[in-house]
Amino acid sequence: KAGVTQTPRYLIKTRGQQVTLSCSPISGHRSVSWYQQTPGQGLQFLFEYFSETQRNKGNFPGRFSGRQFSNSRSEMNVSTLELGDSALYLCASSFDSGASSYEQYFGPGTRLTVT
Amino acid sequence: GIQVEQSPPDLILQEGANSTLRCNFSDSVNNLQWFHQNPWGQLINLFYIPSGTKQNGRLSATTVATERYSLLYISSSQTTDSGVYFCAGAGGDYKLSFGAGTTVTVRA
């Protein structure tokens, strides 16, 4: 089974621009979560989508948004980019069977640099 | 959210040595995972272990859920074990909270 894929792998943007990152989950997984990793803040939860609905949200400004499509693929968007948005963005997918917990599997990440 | 404390922050080992990494949680977790981050940034799943003990080759993990901690054991370490190890936990909201990581360096 193919793993979680993320595109693009690397991205360089200018302050003030916007960016869209894409994530394709493992086949059959309906939950997709996004995380941001920076040297200063470590790994932080952004949001989680399940069946096209945002189910959980972390403490990030409204410039960070996401969506999920009917095939479970997800995109996240960052508008009005700031230098501090430079980070590794990781996507994870899970097979949510309705149990109280489930294992998350991560993609290779998208490394975003804002100049 | 759940606070996760990992120790030690850095670990330097001689090849062949054994080591223990620890993870403490501020609250009960339904999901507890250990990861190894490869040099390209990808998080590789090591264990999904909300409770109990699991082993996979030279690695094993134990979670004592009632006392809110988990341990990762590396035995007979090899240079390929070098890297950053993360533990992460989530309560009923499924948001994984990560520790700051333990950087392991194994010297030949």
Side-chain angles (χ1 to χ4, degrees), chain A residues 8-74:
Chain A
R9 294 293 311 279
Y10 302 91
L11 207 47
I12 299 175
K13 288 286 188 179
T14 303
R15 199 169 37 182
Q17 289 185 314
Q18 75 165 15
V19 68
T20 299
L21 312 182
S22 181
C23 171
S24 292
I26 292 170
S27 178
H29 286 192
R30 294 194 296 163
S31 169
V32 174
S33 299
W34 289 89
Y35 295 83
Q36 181 198 62
Q37 185 177 25
T38 60
Q41 299 299 317
L43 278 149
Q44 294 184 287
F45 172 82
L46 278 157
F47 28 65
E48 184 229 356
Y49 287 86
F50 178 79
S51 290
E52 303 178 65
T53 301
Q54 188 181 86
R55 191 162 61 172
N56 290 290
K57 189 176 190 309
N59 297 323
F60 279 82
R63 300 185 298 107
F64 292 82
S65 63
R67 59 178 175 169
Q68 186 180 34
F69 302 95
S70 57
N71 61 358
S72 295
R73 189 177 70 85
S74 177

Side-chain angles (χ1 to χ4, degrees), chain B residues 45-93:
Chain B
N45 288 37
L46 296 177
F47 294 102
Y48 170 70
I49 188 166
S51 63
T53 298
K54 290 186 178 179
Q55 179 155 8
N56 185 2
R58 296 180 296 99
L59 300 181
S60 63
T62 294
T63 296
V64 183
T66 54
E67 297 189 22
R68 301 176 188 169
Y69 73 88
S70 184
L71 303 172
L72 177 70
Y73 305 98
I74 305 174
S75 65
S76 304
S77 57
Q78 300 177 358
T79 55
T80 52
D81 294 330
S82 295
V84 184
Y85 291 79
F86 290 98
C87 65
D93 59 9

